[in-house]
Amino acid sequence: MGVHYIDAVEDRSYDPNAEYFKVRTPEGKRYILRSDRETGEWTLQSGFDGAELLARPGIELVTVDPTTIRKADSKIAGCERCRNYELDIPFSFVIADVLEKHGAFDFILSEAGHCPNCNGELTEKTLVEPQGGIEVKATSRTK
């Protein structure tokens, strides 16, 4: 699972069912993203430098809004920066639990999460410790 940061939206277009965004990453790569107007689902369209991401069939891109990120933040007790023992649950599993989405998803965080214990920045790959009583379903993800 990976976070893909967007440095700039270079162009935007519409059709009756979707919005399309030509975006540039901090590394200078360009992608075309499609946002379905009815479902809100994001998909990567062909073209530009998208081949490396398109090589992972069946992965659905899901944008995670700040409210959901804050809710996921509240469900963790600490992160790999502030815990002295080995953790094995990535923050993306907590996000998946909050969104009730399990399977082949890549989450696009609209902003970084923050550990409630040390205030360290969280990406979807940051290892975390869920608070007691939180069930986080670990599913296998294909890359």
Side-chain angles (χ1 to χ4, degrees), residues 78-85 87 125-129:
C79 72
E80 60 192 35
R81 289 177 197 85
C82 61
R83 297 296 187 205
N84 292 329
Y85 44 88
L87 302 173
K125 291 181 181 180
T126 304
L127 299 177
V128 298
E129 176 186 2

Side-chain angles (χ1 to χ4, degrees), residues 79-136:
C79 72
E80 60 192 35
R81 289 177 197 85
C82 61
R83 297 296 187 205
N84 292 329
Y85 44 88
E86 191 172 320
L87 302 173
D88 60 359
I89 298 175
F91 188 50
S92 62
F93 284 21
V94 178
I95 292 169
D97 192 57
V98 168
L99 292 173
E100 297 182 359
K101 285 190 172 282
H102 303 283
F105 296 100
D106 249 356
F107 296 111
I108 300 173
L109 302 182
S110 57
E111 61 185 51
H114 289 90
C115 174
N117 189 49
C118 70
N119 203 35
E121 223 174 70
L122 303 175
T123 70
E124 87 293 348
K125 291 181 181 180
T126 304
L127 299 177
V128 298
E129 176 186 2
Q131 290 183 0
I134 306 273
E135 182 179 329
V136 177

Side-chain angles (χ1 to χ4, degrees), residues 38-51:
E38 186 174 317
T39 65
E41 292 180 8
W42 288 82
T43 53
L44 180 67
Q45 303 301 293
S46 62
F48 299 99
D49 298 309

Side-chain angles (χ1 to χ4, degrees), residues 1 9 15 71 85 87 91 98 113 116 137:
M1 183 153 317
V9 176
D15 74 22
K71 187 172 180 182
Y85 44 88
L87 302 173
F91 188 50
V98 168
K137 298 173 186 166

